[in-house]
Each structure stands twice: as C-alpha cells, then as structure tokens.
Amino acid sequence: MVYSEECAIIFRLKGILEFACQLDNPNAGSQSQSTISKSFQGLRSKVSSKNIVFTVCNSPILIWPNTGFQSSMESLTEASACGDILQYIESDDGGSKKTLKKKDKKRSGHTVVNLKLLFEVTDPAGNEAPSLIRVDTQQHCVKMPLHLDCVLSVTTEESLASVCTGLVETLRKQLAEMEEVVQRYRKGSSFLVPQPFHFQLPEPAGLTTVIYPAGVPDSQLQAIREDLHRKFELPSDRPYLRRANAFHFPDVAYKDGYLRNPHIHLNPPNIEDAKLYLVQGVYIYHHYMQDRVDDDGWGCAYRSLQTICSWFQQQGYVETAVPTHTQIQQALVDVGDKEPRFVGSRQWIGSIEVQVVLNQLLGVTSKILFVSQGSELATKGRELANHFQTEGTPVMIGGGVLAHTILGVAWSENSGQIRFLILDPHYTGGEDLQTITDKGWCGWKGPEFWDQNAYYNLCLPQRPKTI
Amino acid sequence: MGRSYFVDETVEKYLGGLLADPGSCVTGFLAGQSSPQRDFVVLAVQTPQRESEGQLKSSRGSGPLDDIDVEWVTEHARQVSRMLPGGLCILGLFLVTPPELSKDAQNTLKRLIFAMDKCISKGRLWELTEEDVTDRVTLHICSKTKKTVCKTLDVKDPKSSAKPADWKYQTCVSSSWPMLTCSVEVDLQIPLTGSSSDNTDKCMKDCLTRWAKQIEAGNCLISGRQALDDSELISAQKKNLKTTHRQTFPARILVSDPELDERSSALVQLCSGSVRVRGVVHCRAYIHNNKPKARHAVQAIKRDIINTVSSRVEMFLEDLLISEGSRKGLCTGQQALPRRVFAPMPFSGLSVCDYMFPDESTADVADRLKEMLDWETPEEDIDISLESNQLFSPELEMTDSHSDDSRKHVISEVQVENPHIHKAPQYYAGVAVAATIALLATATSLLYFSE
C-alpha cells in the first residue's frame, strides 16, 4: 500500500452518542421512519451545538469547536497549525510528563492524533428549573449506542479551526450515514447497530469510512460492496471493503500478539537494475513452537501453510481462523488424502498437501510449480515476479527436507540476478522483531540458499476473484 | 491519634445557649466538612420539638434517654442534609444530658449515629470512595457542668468502639472557604416498564443512578483548568493572602454518553410510558481552605449536582404520596419539580439551600428554615433568582408526531388542576411518609394537613 506523502496527520475522533426513540407502532412503516429520522436529526443538532468538546487524548487540551473556537490552551488558537498539538501529547510508553517529542513517524508515515468527543453540561441556554414530564402511552423504547469514529487526514500546516470544522462536518455526515443503515436494516422493532470501518483506498479516495450493520456477515453485504467498488472505481476482482480490510491505525497494538509483515523492516538487497516484487497486504508470521504446539522438526510446512491462511484471513477472503496442525491433518483425512491415524501424528506435509488443504478449508486454488533442481530456482524470476504482481500471495516452497515461505523476489530482467525474500518457519523463539530480522529468520537470500541438487515444489495460491 | 475537629466559635455559643428542661435531654446534629487530615464544624442545630398532641408514646423505657425519638432525630438530619450544598454534610450528633444520665449518653449517641447514617445514605446515588471519612462525631454535653466529651464512631464498622477526638473552637472557620458554582442542564428520558408505581420509582432510580455515574466519570474544569493530578485547588500564584472575601470558582463539567454493552442490535423495551426530567439546576460546593486538593473540590461539586437532582425528584414523589393519599403515581403531563433557592447559613456566611414548590413563597421557605435550622432568615435574604420558574410549553419534543394533539390536551388539563395542595412545611411531609401507616392505624387526626 502506498500512502500519500501529503497526509501527515490523521485526526481520529471517537465518541459515543446514545440513540433513543419511542415508537408507538414499530410496524407502521413511514411513521416509525419519521420518528427515527427526528431522533437522528436531534443527534446531528447535538454535534453542531456549542456544547460539544473535543479532548485530545493523553494531553490537557480541550477544544470547543462550535463556540467560535475556544481552547483550553492559550497557545493554541484557531489559526495555529494543527501540527502544534503534537508537542502537548504525552507518549503512551510511560515517560515523564515533560515529553515534548513529536511522535515518531513510523514506516507508514502517519501520525495519529486521537480525540474524544465530550459534551458540556454546564453551559445551559436558560436557567429554568427542572420539570417532570410524563407520557402514558404504550410505546417501544429503543436505545442503542452509536460508536462514532471519524477520521480526517490533513497536513501539519492545516489550521486547527479548519480541522475542527472538518471533524464536525464528518460527525454530521457519519450520523446521516448511520441513519441510512439503521433505516435500511430495521425490521419492525429490531434495529441493527451501525458500525464505522475505515479503509485506506487508492487515491483519490484515500482514507474512507463505511458504515456496516453489526451482526450482518460480509457475505451478505456483497451488493453494498459492489456499489462502493463502482463508486470508488476499485477493481472488481479483489476485496478492499471487507471488515478484515479495515485500516490498521499505527498507534493501536494488535491484540493477538503475533507479528505482522516483519519484512517491511528489512532493507532491500542491493542489486543493480532489480525491481522488487513483494507479497501484497498483510500476513502473520507463523513459526515453530507458537501457540504452545511443539512442532520443532516436523511442522515447518504446516507453519508456512498457516502463514498463507493468515493472508487470506487478513485480506478478508475468509472469516475462519487460521487452522491448527490438527485441523490441517483432519482436512487431509476428510478429502481422503490421508489415513485417519494421520491426525495427531508428526508426519510432514508437502506442497501438494498445502494445495489440498487450501482448497478444502478455504476454497482457494493453487498452482504448483516444480523444479527438478534447486539451482533452477534462479531461473524462475519471471514467474515469481508475475505471481507477486498479479496474485501477491505468499508462496510455500518445499524440497530437500525443508519448507519455507517466499514473500517476494528482487529480480533484474536484464541481468537475471535474483534474491528471494524468505520467511523461515523453523524459528523457535518468541515474537521478537529485532531477533527475527537481525538473525535472518525473515530475510533476503541468494540462489545459493537452496539445496542445488534437490527437487522443489512450490505452491502458489491464487486469489479468488471476489470482492 | 484521634481526629481533630475545628469548630467555629459561633457553634460554641449556640451549644452554650441551649435550654434543656431539667432532667430532659436535647439532641441535635453537627454539620461541616471532613478532610483526610482534619474536620471542620460550622453548624449545630437542635432537633425541633415534635409538635404533636396526644402523640402516643409507648413509655417502654425508663427515662428521657429512651424517650428520644430516634426516627425523629434521624429524619431531621436527613431533611437537613438535603439543605446542605456540596462539600458540607452532617458530621455527627450532639446530646445534652443532665449529669445523672451522662453514663448512658454514649450508648444513646451510638444508636443515633448509626441510625442516622443509615437514613441519610439510603437515597444516595453515588458511592463513597476510599478517601471519604467514615468517622462521625459524637459530642456529649453535661447540662450542669457544661463539660463536653467528644468521640468518633466509624460508621463503616458497627462493632467498633468510640475513639476519643479533639474538639477545638476557632474563629471564622469557614469565612474564606472557596465556593464552586455551576449550572447544569439535565435532560433524562426514562422509559417506564411495567405499570405499578413501585416500578416507576425503580425505573427512575435506575436511570438517575446511571446519570449520576456519567457525572462522576465526567471531566471537570475549575476556572478553566482540568484537575488532572494531585494538584492543589488554589495554585501558589493565585493565593491572595490578604483576601477576606470568598473566592468563587466556576466549574464546568464535560461528559460522554455511557458505554453500554457490546451489542449488535438495539435494546428495545415495551414501555407503558416514559418520564422525562428536564431543566437546569444550579449547584454549589464549598471546600475548606487548608490546602485543598482540586480533586476533592471536583468531587464536592459533582456530588452536589447529583444530590440536587435526586433530592428534588425524591421530594416530589414524597409530596405526591402525601397529597394523593395513595399510590396513584405520577399523572401525565408536565409537572414542576421544586426550585432550588439559597439562604445564608446561620452564623457562618456559607449558604444553605431549600426547595420551593411552585405554590410556595419565600415566606414558606423562611418558615422551614426556622423549623429545620432554628434560625430566623429575613425573606429578602432568600435568593430565588438562580433557578427560574418552569415554563409550560407544548413544544417540548416527545414522541411520535401523531400524538401532538393529545399531548397538548393533557398539558392544558394539568395546568388547570393544581396537584400541589399541601402547604405544610416540607419537614412534616417527609416524616409523614414514614409514619403514615402508624398514624392512620391509630386514627390520630392529621393536624398538619390542610385541604
């Protein structure tokens, strides 16, 4: 993925607004519709009111965007560059209260400023003492939390005032889109909660937010995605807008503890004239000893297969979890490829088994590439380059007594020089990025890496043509 | 090391001036503010006489100590605690006895303290924190020798014994206590499930409790600054050593809607109706000036916000019970909750508050203040300007549009009737809730209700 150079800061505003309404008769179509509309109108007014406050997380900054821009910091006015906010933000990893460093720009090139939406209750319009108003009609009372999540990509020079106006506009727009989703999916008194997802789409769309109804699986949202693919002029054969494709904010840690895409931390090899052809998207590094499974010495192909399965899961092609060794073995038994006693054994598998399992569990087809000698792999530059360009999936390679995953090639069409980006499943340590990259568990290797005399089979998984 | 109570000398004067019939006892409460290091007492008020003729008192005990009406004493304390702004609370009780009863005084005080704490904490919508002081002070005064014995009891631990405490008189204990103020907009929509009025009360209490948690969790700004850490309320540069006037700090409260459970569909309840509480409440809190921490001031104002809303709703419902005579529950339409008015506290210069129903006047408030605080307040000193009278407007947004017509009809009906018939002092109404059953059973004539 290529991030636009211009967008240096992403402002992310999150907050919860409770949607509430009373319906006399939930099955009376247009009447309920207009009641729901009125409630959403009320929420839109609320975010345009002078009572909303943005608080910048991990900082003492408070901003009232709708009252002629009030801020709790004298040095931050409406004309200040929004980049000035960064110096007031405390970084998350402990540190003293005086940290003034700008957040490190990670490889992604984005700095994220998190804001929270609050409402002031102490600046009322009048001072009328409270009343109690009772209504005695039987009604259906509907309540649901709307988790607002708005993003705005700007350059550091953009003024704070324009950022705040932009965020308020985005809030209103998000509420309107949420209303649309709520109305569309409502059945009588059953309301589905609208949830925002952010996607990094190719320019000019950029970081885009889509609202999906909770509880409706991706498979049932095909038509919505088709419309959006048309709207954003996205290719119609690969997923961009499945929930799994949601943009991962650089400041949010993954909850599962696995490493993703360790290869991005490597420097590419220095070959004259060579172009890089790499895996596209996100995969998880699976290796020996993970998940408390001791597969040291026999599980390398299983781990490579897990890495490939993770790719299909992360790109949104499948919703199922990455299979365990046992599930992989069971799949092979289920198709009749292996005897039942295979399950629970420590028997190796090869590329063919990988192909079979990918088909059985994920519905993914794969091409098999055979080389009779390891030395021949050096000549497969064009084919591998093509694979990474069109399919972009990780490749499992088995031969000799080892299995590995190929994540890409650096190949010169002129000189034929080639290097292979290898992800090694034989690593037995913890999820330590430093060790993995330093010691070459994920690294660039030359053609001499392969056993020159052994034969190899490569499994090249093909992307399903679906969105 | 026991607790130290710094007591305003006006309290000393008041206690010294109490007249007790020979052989009888006088009870009363002590109010002020507790802080982790020390406590401040700014007010003492004796329990008012129970004005009842032919009150059937079962003389089970032998003597004045047993005759002390625990319920009456605690009810007085409960009603007064509603009149105290944020930061101030009932700190304990005093008991004046003739010398021959002194030895039993401590037991009586212990009984009273625990009963009172239970009574006061019943309607509370916020939880005590670890920093809250749970010691209550008991002061025993011998009517002949004027000797005082001061002890504290920990209401958290009913088995604990009284610990000795220091009782020191000082001048002008609270004259420079800073005051926080704010006006808070309240708009709560409460769906009512089920139709009994017990159910209504529970729905309202649940909703108010949730709202209280929202307020407690909110960000608070005092004079534009957030109290983020253990900072002091008054920073060094702002301290004006020569100041004799009270500093006022405006507070601002920022809240976010509560995080409900992760769910993929909305919560839908079939309701028999709904109640909406809507309007603006004016809030005040005081904080002692012995290096107060900002967060204690924040806690005081937040609790005042919560208390003022829950007190009025409670009072309204209690009043409804009395005037309706039976559990008919709330009628439909808009009804005004009592307005908060402020008056100067006896002696100390702080303020107390009271709640005025729409059909009442400042004269009624003055009567109540006399009743509850044993203090004459000139009517012009009662500030009724902070909250204005409710407007009865049909434009209030409610439900589906088709019910517009019926709603207007309902409201105009209500305006014609006046649900607030009673003119009796607030105190009596509250006590009658508890005593109604007993009184009705004994068929004593209800002298304090006017029709």
Side-chain angles (χ1 to χ4, degrees):
Chain A
M1 289 197 216
V2 175
Y3 296 105
S4 162
E5 285 309 308
E6 300 214 337
C7 294
I9 304 190
I10 298 178
F11 281 89
R12 187 178 187 189
L13 173 65
K14 295 211 280 197
I16 304 181
L17 262 185
E18 187 176 73
F19 167 82
C21 75
Q22 288 79 34
L23 296 177
D24 278 355
N25 180 5
N27 295 314
S30 61
Q31 196 183 84
S32 304
Q33 244 184 321
S34 73
T35 308
I36 294 168
S37 254
K38 245 198 272 189
S39 291
F40 269 102
Q41 182 56 42
L43 292 177
R44 284 198 288 277
S45 304
K46 200 171 175 190
V47 301
S48 298
S49 76
K50 61 179 180 59
N51 290 329
I52 69 162
V53 183
F54 296 158
T55 174
V56 179
C57 298
N58 296 334
S59 88
I61 303 172
L62 292 168
I63 299 175
W64 280 255
N66 292 333
T67 46
F69 193 89
Q70 254 186 68
S71 125
S72 67
M73 285 241 130
E74 274 154 19
S75 45
L76 289 175
T77 66
E78 53 189 4
S80 309
C82 61
D84 290 349
I85 276 190
L86 297 171
Q87 58 187 298
Y88 297 102
I89 300 178
E90 236 174 79
S91 54
D92 267 333
D93 43 2
S96 70
K97 301 221 189 293
K98 293 207 232 116
T99 37
L100 296 175
K101 297 192 184 59
K102 255 189 183 172
K103 262 201 148 129
D104 290 283
K105 284 197 176 183
K106 307 229 176 92
R107 290 241 160 199
S108 60
H110 285 257
T111 307
V112 180
V113 174
N114 289 298
L115 300 141
K116 192 165 165 205
L117 180 65
L118 297 174
F119 293 92
E120 177 167 5
V121 289
T122 43
D123 196 9
N127 63 345
E128 207 181 296
S131 304
L132 208 101
I133 304 145
R134 173 160 177 161
V135 169
D136 231 351
T137 40
Q138 204 181 60
Q139 300 168 317
H140 289 79
C141 288
V142 182
K143 272 199 212 261
M144 76 178 154
L146 300 177
H147 289 255
L148 298 166
D149 190 345
C150 296
V151 289
L152 199 69
S153 299
V154 291
T155 61
T156 47
E157 302 317 309
E158 194 84 25
S159 75
L160 265 183
S162 112
V163 168
C164 289
T165 315
L167 285 170
V168 173
E169 254 320 294
T170 312
L171 276 172
R172 290 182 61 98
K173 188 158 157 270
Q174 186 158 108
L175 282 167
E177 287 170 6
M178 285 185 164
E179 178 184 346
E180 209 193 336
V181 169
V182 168
Q183 300 270 32
R184 194 187 315 156
Y185 288 90
R186 177 180 75 90
K187 286 194 180 56
S189 61
S190 160
F191 287 68
L192 292 180
V193 178
Q195 291 174 329
F197 289 87
H198 307 292
F199 301 97
Q200 182 72 42
L201 300 181
E203 295 296 319
L207 195 56
T208 309
T209 309
V210 178
I211 312 290
Y212 285 133
V216 177
D218 282 330
S219 45
Q220 288 175 31
L221 295 168
Q222 181 88 8
I224 310 286
R225 289 198 299 278
E226 279 168 12
D227 278 343
L228 290 171
H229 273 243
R230 265 192 296 275
K231 179 175 167 194
F232 294 116
E233 292 174 353
L234 301 169
S236 51
D237 64 346
R238 55 177 55 187
Y240 282 86
L241 297 167
R242 288 182 169 246
R243 288 184 177 96
N245 300 124
F247 178 65
H248 175 75
F249 287 86
D251 60 333
V252 178
Y254 288 104
K255 286 182 221 139
D256 54 24
Y258 291 125
L259 285 178
R260 283 158 173 77
N261 290 23
H263 72 274
I264 60 173
H265 301 273
L266 299 172
N267 291 320
N270 204 354
I271 309 179
E272 205 180 309
D273 222 16
K275 283 213 207 96
L276 291 181
Y277 304 87
L278 299 179
V279 65
Q280 297 171 36
V282 178
Y283 61 88
I284 290 177
Y285 181 18
H286 285 288
H287 57 79
Y288 278 171
M289 309 303 281
Q290 262 183 358
D291 308 317
R292 286 190 277 255
V293 175
D294 183 351
D295 56 337
D296 191 349
W298 61 272
C300 47
Y302 292 79
R303 296 296 184 180
S304 178
L305 172 52
Q306 283 180 334
T307 295
I308 295 175
C309 291
S310 80
W311 187 93
F312 283 94
Q313 184 206 49
Q314 297 290 306
Q315 264 55 248
Y317 287 100
V318 295
E319 276 161 18
T320 50
V322 168
T324 62
H325 292 63
T326 312
Q327 285 167 335
I328 292 168
Q329 289 172 336
Q330 187 62 50
L332 288 165
V333 170
D334 289 345
V335 299
D337 189 79
K338 298 275 186 265
E339 297 289 302
R341 60 188 161 79
F342 180 64
V343 179
S345 73
R346 302 162 124 227
Q347 285 190 47
W348 298 355
I349 54 175
S351 312
I352 306 299
E353 285 84 358
V354 169
Q355 179 190 42
V356 167
V357 174
L358 284 175
N359 187 45
Q360 171 70 0
L361 292 181
L362 271 57
V364 166
T365 54
S366 319
K367 290 204 180 116
I368 298 287
L369 188 60
F370 170 77
V371 293
S372 53
Q373 281 175 242
S375 47
E376 249 182 77
L377 276 165
T379 67
K380 296 296 176 189
R382 186 179 302 279
E383 284 187 72
L384 287 170
N386 277 340
H387 169 82
F388 286 112
Q389 260 190 328
T390 49
E391 305 302 326
T393 57
V395 171
M396 178 266 177
I397 177 167
V401 287
L402 302 171
H404 290 91
T405 311
I406 303 179
L407 296 175
V409 288
W411 177 62
S412 163
E413 199 167 343
N414 296 334
S415 65
Q417 285 205 67
I418 187 168
R419 298 283 180 278
F420 302 87
L421 180 56
I422 303 292
L423 189 67
D424 196 337
H426 300 90
Y427 173 62
T428 53
E431 310 308 318
D432 178 1
L433 183 61
Q434 196 69 44
T435 308
I436 287 164
T437 49
D438 283 351
K439 302 275 195 259
W441 295 103
C442 176
W444 287 98
K445 315 285 181 193
E448 66 284 357
F449 179 73
W450 310 111
D451 184 337
Q452 303 296 297
N453 300 310
Y455 67 84
Y456 285 89
N457 270 320
L458 290 80
C459 176
L460 284 67
Q462 307 293 296
R463 283 183 188 255
K465 300 271 179 285
T466 175
I467 58 171
Chain B
M1 214 15 222
R3 298 198 70 83
S4 298
Y5 287 83
F6 289 81
V7 188
D8 200 284
E9 59 179 17
T10 51
V11 171
E12 182 181 20
K13 239 192 285 182
Y14 178 84
L15 290 173
L18 287 177
L19 301 163
D21 294 333
S24 74
C25 307
V26 181
T27 54
F29 70 81
L30 300 158
Q33 183 167 115
S34 274
S35 76
Q37 290 82 29
R38 55 179 70 165
D39 308 89
F40 304 93
V41 179
V42 297
L43 181 67
V45 178
Q46 62 174 324
T47 312
Q49 292 290 58
R50 194 159 192 170
E51 249 179 52
S52 51
E53 295 169 27
Q55 175 99 9
L56 295 172
K57 256 196 289 211
S58 51
S59 324
R60 30 190 175 91
S62 49
L65 277 181
D66 292 310
D67 283 345
I68 290 176
D69 192 337
V70 176
E71 207 178 85
W72 191 255
V73 173
T74 56
E75 184 58 22
H76 176 228
R78 181 180 85 97
Q79 299 257 344
V80 171
S81 64
R82 280 179 180 162
M83 300 171 95
L84 298 173
L88 302 173
C89 58
I90 307 273
L91 291 181
L93 297 167
F94 67 81
L95 177 65
V96 182
T97 68
E100 59 274 19
L101 295 172
S102 295
K103 59 178 170 32
D104 296 321
Q106 292 303 324
N107 279 336
T108 307
L109 280 166
K110 184 165 181 177
R111 248 193 317 140
L112 287 171
I113 287 280
F114 279 96
M116 176 191 78
D117 186 70
K118 192 163 158 205
C119 191
I120 290 181
S121 40
K122 234 191 320 202
R124 204 154 57 192
L125 293 180
W126 39 267
E127 300 289 328
L128 288 174
T129 65
E130 276 165 12
E131 286 190 306
D132 281 306
V133 174
T134 51
D135 291 286
R136 300 284 176 265
V137 64
T138 63
L139 190 72
H140 172 244
I141 307 169
C142 175
S143 55
K144 189 152 169 223
T145 64
K146 303 290 179 202
K147 177 160 165 281
T148 60
V149 174
C150 174
K151 290 190 195 249
T152 57
L153 283 162
D154 188 350
V155 286
K156 241 187 7 241
D157 184 5
K159 297 210 180 68
S160 64
S161 50
K163 294 195 280 279
D166 280 336
W167 186 260
K168 299 191 208 120
Y169 287 111
Q170 272 189 345
T171 52
C172 300
V173 167
S174 62
S175 55
S176 13
W177 282 10
M179 177 172 83
L180 281 80
T181 63
C182 60
S183 286
V184 177
E185 176 141 29
V186 179
D187 191 355
L188 300 171
Q189 188 80 21
I190 308 168
L192 302 173
T193 50
S195 48
S196 74
S197 46
D198 277 340
N199 216 280
T200 305
D201 286 357
K202 182 171 184 306
C203 286
M204 289 180 70
K205 179 147 194 212
D206 284 345
C207 186
L208 284 169
T209 308
R210 250 177 292 132
W211 168 79
K213 289 210 164 57
Q214 218 187 339
I215 296 286
E216 278 189 294
N219 294 42
C220 181
L221 291 141
I222 299 182
S223 289
R225 270 172 48 238
Q226 286 194 80
L228 288 175
D229 47 23
D230 213 17
S231 58
E232 294 197 355
L233 177 64
I234 306 167
S235 60
Q237 70 235 73
K238 289 208 177 110
K239 268 200 191 108
N240 183 354
L241 296 165
K242 295 207 196 99
T243 188
T244 47
H245 70 275
R246 196 181 305 287
Q247 282 181 291
T248 303
F249 295 105
R252 296 177 92 156
I253 309 275
L254 313 173
V255 300
S256 64
D257 273 347
E259 176 116 20
L260 302 172
D261 319 310
E262 285 279 328
R263 34 185 323 126
S264 58
S265 59
L267 181 66
V268 182
Q269 293 168 295
L270 185 56
C271 306
S272 57
S274 65
V275 170
R276 189 172 182 186
V277 177
R278 182 179 147 148
V280 176
V281 295
H282 184 82
C283 305
R284 244 176 227 192
Y286 293 97
I287 190 89
H288 64 86
N289 57 349
N290 179 32
K291 295 216 195 82
K293 293 263 196 291
R295 64 171 199 275
H296 292 139
V298 164
Q299 191 183 66
I301 190 77
K302 282 182 180 174
R303 285 176 175 177
D304 189 66
I305 297 169
I306 299 169
N307 286 342
T308 185
V309 172
S310 77
S311 292
R312 308 168 201 230
V313 171
E314 219 175 60
M315 287 167 66
F316 179 82
L317 293 175
E318 284 171 3
D319 180 65
L320 206 62
L321 173 66
I322 301 309
S323 56
E324 299 287 312
S326 66
R327 285 304 234 173
K328 205 163 74 166
L330 297 166
C331 55
T332 50
Q334 182 181 355
Q335 292 174 298
L337 289 172
R339 276 162 67 190
R340 196 178 199 186
V341 301
F342 289 87
M345 188 186 278
F347 311 120
S348 67
L350 303 172
S351 47
V352 288
C353 69
D354 190 28
Y355 293 94
M356 206 164 92
F357 278 86
D359 56 340
E360 291 183 323
S361 65
T362 47
D364 296 305
V365 175
D367 283 343
R368 263 202 296 280
L369 290 172
K370 177 80 184 97
E371 185 75 47
M372 307 286 266
L373 299 180
D374 201 11
W375 174 247
E376 296 283 352
T377 312
E379 279 183 48
E380 56 270 19
D381 285 354
I382 299 175
D383 188 355
I384 61 169
S385 65
L386 294 156
E387 288 181 5
S388 64
N389 262 317
Q390 292 86 341
L391 301 166
F392 283 73
S393 72
E395 290 103 46
L396 291 168
E397 256 189 61
M398 293 205 300
T399 58
D400 290 351
S401 48
H402 83 281
S403 62
D404 265 337
D405 293 333
S406 53
R407 200 189 340 119
K408 281 199 188 106
H409 175 69
V410 164
I411 286 187
S412 55
E413 255 187 44
V414 170
Q415 280 177 307
V416 165
E417 294 170 26
N418 188 345
H420 297 291
I421 307 166
H422 90 297
K423 285 192 176 14
Q426 185 61 28
Y427 184 24
Y428 291 83
V431 175
V433 171
T436 294
I437 298 166
L439 289 171
L440 288 173
T442 58
T444 309
S445 64
L446 303 175
L447 296 175
Y448 16 96
F449 285 178
S450 61
E451 291 295 288

